[in-house]
């Protein structure tokens, strides 16, 4: 196949298009300050176990939607609890899961954004294993329903996380989550909490079986370190 | 950072260190505006944080990141459309007009860019990105294919469709301005 020539090099191309393209500029590279800012926020995010972080973010979403006016965002980063009052979004699907980590990691941002990004929709969408993103997009109402579902999922998982001191109760809540949201977007978090609760309940072989299945689905990856901690140290969870 | 680590063994921060610039540029190619870029970049890596465990290296990491960037860009564009501020005033491309000491020439340059951005913003983001990479950044088709994780033939067909889109959008804009 012959490589096509850029229109700007093609005298036969429409002059109007060539004129337009001549005004084009290449994307700016990521400068050092923006890179560092992004990395700092991400480091704060990475310091929160994925399960807890996502649950906390989405819980904020549920809380914001429930209160309607304001919610206090709290997130544990490196063992310190940061709290910052933020305006609650007007609708549930405009909540920003990363807001807490971002606020805590980027104090130079004086005020919350007037309109926060609907990232919950992005985070919430389940990705098939080993693929990118589904081709189809939910409609606005479907996205809204999905956000509500995620908020309910998160609230249930947060209850289970808090109940880990009583592993039987935590397992019961997690079983309820599995029943209500068999293909929930927080299924990964549920699985990690389930393993945690099983270890705490002394059901180690079951925990290890689940851990092995979990590892088989995503070997050598991000959650493995947390899984190692869960299965290697009964007392450690968060 | 382990510079030799394969992509499917990277931690979140290593993915960021290796690919943040690629994501940043991709978001611009996909039409994310200047004031949205920081947040859109963050949004991409929030998704990476959530989904990294599901990435096993069957696809190139850039392909996966680009797919996430595409979704994030779509959301950012939709959010920006709801804003009352002028579309063009927020675009990164307008920030890079070098003052040449000739206000008239600068104004012409800005107006030209604004016009181009209006046309590009009417395009499908995936096609827009290929058009920008080929026609403006002047990347070779094989380089585009490698970055996007698609066959070279797909780059050609997407470019063909993008050019048709670009031409249609330019025509529509001209007709609207003439009306």
């Amino acid at each position: 196949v012959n490589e096509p020539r850029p229109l700007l090099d093609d005298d036969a191309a429409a002059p109007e298009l060539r004129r337009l393209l001549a005004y084009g500029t290449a994307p700016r590279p990521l400068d050092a300050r923006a890179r560092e800012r992004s990395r700092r926020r991400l480091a704060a995010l990475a310091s929160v176990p994925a399960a807890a972080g996502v649950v906390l973010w989405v819980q904020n979403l549920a809380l914001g939607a429930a209160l309607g006016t304001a919610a206090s965002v709290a997130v544990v980063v490196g063992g310190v609890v940061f709290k910052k009052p933020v305006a609650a979004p007007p609708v549930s699907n405009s909540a920003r899961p990363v807001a807490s980590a971002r606020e805590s990691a980027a104090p130079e941002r004086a005020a919350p954004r007037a309109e926060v990004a609907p990232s919950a929709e992005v985070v919430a969408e389940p990705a098939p294993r080993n693929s990118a993103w589904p081709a189809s997009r939910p409609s606005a109402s479907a996205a809204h329903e999905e956000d509500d579902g995620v908020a309910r999922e998160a609230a249930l998982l947060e209850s289970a996380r808090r109940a880990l001191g009583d592993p039987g109760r935590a397992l019961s809540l997690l079983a309820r989550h599995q029943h209500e949201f068999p293909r929930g977007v927080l299924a990964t978090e549920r699985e990690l909490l389930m393993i945690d609760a099983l270890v705490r309940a002394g059901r180690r072989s079951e925990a290890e079986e689940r851990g092995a299945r979990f590892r088989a689905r995503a070997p050598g990856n991000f959650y493995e370190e947390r899984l190692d901690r869960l299965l290697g140290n009964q007392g450690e969870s968060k | 950072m382990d510079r030799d680590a394969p992509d499917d063994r990277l931690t979140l921060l290593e993915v960021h260190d290796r690919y943040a610039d690629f994501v940043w540029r991709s978001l611009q190619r996909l039409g994310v505006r200047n004031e949205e870029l920081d947040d859109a970049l963050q949004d991409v890596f929030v998704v990476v944080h959530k989904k990294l465990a599901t990435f096993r290296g069957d696809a190139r990491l850039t392909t996966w990141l680009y797919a996430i960037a595409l979704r994030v860009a779509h959301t950012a564009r939709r959010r920006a459309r709801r804003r009352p501020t002028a579309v063009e005033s927020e675009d990164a491309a307008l920030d890079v007009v070098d003052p040449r000491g000739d206000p008239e020439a600068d104004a012409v340059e800005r107006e030209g860019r604004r016009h181009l951005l209006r046309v590009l913003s009417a395009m499908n983001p995936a096609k827009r990105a290929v058009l920008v990479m080929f026609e403006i950044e002047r990347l070779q088709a094989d380089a585009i294919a490698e970055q996007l994780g698609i066959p070279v033939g797909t780059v050609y067909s997407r470019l063909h469709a993008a050019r048709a889109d670009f031409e249609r959008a330019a025509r529509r804009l001209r007709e609207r301005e003439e009306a």
Side-chain angles (χ1 to χ4, degrees):
Chain A
V1 181
N2 290 330
E3 171 108 6
R5 293 164 64 197
L7 293 178
L8 279 172
D9 297 343
D10 184 355
D11 293 338
E16 182 191 8
L17 302 185
R18 295 179 65 196
R19 264 197 309 275
L20 267 177
L21 287 168
Y23 287 110
T25 54
R28 289 186 291 130
L30 181 62
D31 64 53
R33 281 185 64 187
R35 175 186 288 275
E36 184 50 35
R37 194 165 55 237
S38 171
R39 199 178 197 283
R40 222 172 35 238
R41 291 171 183 166
L42 206 58
L45 173 58
S47 71
V48 182
V54 171
V55 167
L56 280 170
W57 290 330
V58 185
Q59 194 196 24
N60 290 331
L61 153 71
L63 192 59
L67 297 179
T69 52
S72 176
V73 172
V75 63
V76 179
V77 178
V80 181
V81 176
F82 294 86
K83 286 194 174 181
K84 184 178 178 75
V86 297
V91 292
S92 64
N93 69 353
S94 66
R96 185 179 195 78
V98 76
S100 51
R102 193 176 284 176
E103 292 295 343
S104 61
E108 72 274 18
R109 296 180 73 134
R113 290 153 49 85
E115 182 187 1
V116 287
S119 308
E121 173 186 341
V122 174
V123 174
E125 185 149 346
R129 300 278 177 210
N130 305 320
S131 68
W133 291 67
S136 62
R137 290 185 53 76
S139 65
S141 62
H144 187 79
E145 283 170 19
E146 184 178 78
D147 287 345
D148 287 346
V150 173
R152 285 194 296 119
E153 270 194 74
L156 190 49
L157 287 187
E158 177 61 6
S159 300
R161 189 183 67 80
R162 286 182 180 163
L164 280 171
D166 177 357
R169 175 166 158 67
L171 286 168
S172 163
L173 289 166
L174 292 167
R176 193 173 127 205
H177 183 279
Q178 187 158 18
H179 177 74
E180 288 186 26
F181 308 102
R183 296 169 59 83
V185 295
L186 300 178
T188 303
E189 286 69 34
R190 178 185 66 217
E191 195 61 25
L192 286 166
L193 286 171
M194 185 78 88
I195 291 166
D196 194 346
L198 285 169
V199 170
R200 287 165 185 258
R203 293 159 64 179
R204 186 156 195 92
S205 59
E206 282 179 65
E208 281 174 350
E209 267 177 36
R210 275 185 179 269
R213 283 202 299 273
F214 189 92
R215 268 188 236 276
R217 285 198 298 273
N221 252 309
F222 190 65
Y223 290 101
E224 266 204 351
E225 194 182 334
R226 175 160 164 74
L227 197 55
D228 287 342
R229 283 203 307 271
L230 287 175
L231 292 173
N233 185 343
Q234 181 164 345
E236 186 176 352
S237 88
K238 299 279 171 300
Chain B
M1 171 176 152
D2 181 357
R3 295 190 181 281
D4 298 325
D7 279 350
D8 61 339
R9 296 277 169 170
L10 296 179
T11 67
L12 179 65
L13 287 175
E14 286 169 343
V15 172
H16 178 272
D17 291 347
R18 197 176 281 189
Y19 293 110
D21 187 65
F22 167 76
V23 172
W24 179 260
R25 289 176 198 251
S26 296
L27 289 167
Q28 291 174 69
R29 291 167 182 143
L30 290 163
V32 175
R33 291 165 202 151
N34 200 28
E35 71 161 34
E36 300 272 351
L37 275 173
D38 257 6
D39 288 341
L41 180 69
Q42 187 74 19
D43 286 347
V44 168
F45 282 100
V46 168
V47 176
V48 172
H49 175 56
K50 173 75 170 64
K51 302 286 182 187
L52 192 57
T54 68
F55 179 77
R56 289 203 299 205
D58 294 348
R60 289 174 61 90
L61 191 56
T62 50
T63 310
W64 188 65
L65 291 170
Y66 184 76
I68 296 171
L70 187 61
R71 297 301 306 268
V72 168
H74 183 94
T75 304
R77 283 161 57 101
R78 200 173 49 185
R79 186 169 63 237
R81 275 200 294 271
R82 291 200 298 263
R83 285 199 179 140
T85 38
V87 166
E88 301 83 5
S89 68
E90 301 165 5
D91 200 290
L94 291 177
D95 292 342
V96 291
V97 174
D98 294 325
R100 288 172 290 189
D102 180 348
E104 197 173 329
D106 290 348
V108 169
E109 178 80 11
R110 278 185 185 279
E111 184 50 35
R113 288 194 187 180
R114 193 167 282 128
H115 197 81
L116 172 63
L117 292 171
R118 273 198 289 262
V119 174
L120 290 175
S121 67
M123 292 179 67
N124 167 290
K127 291 179 191 164
R128 170 190 171 137
V130 170
L131 187 94
V132 168
M133 292 169 94
F134 187 81
E135 304 286 5
I136 296 175
E137 295 181 63
R138 292 176 167 260
L139 298 177
Q140 299 284 315
D142 53 357
I144 298 172
E146 189 177 338
Q147 286 202 37
L148 304 188
I150 55 179
V152 173
T154 305
V155 173
Y156 290 147
S157 58
R158 207 173 280 180
L159 177 64
H160 182 74
R163 283 175 167 175
D165 249 26
F166 184 64
E167 189 171 1
R168 262 194 307 275
R171 191 175 59 241
R172 271 200 299 268
L173 185 62
R174 190 183 62 239
E175 287 168 356
R176 218 169 30 237
E177 286 176 347
E178 288 171 356

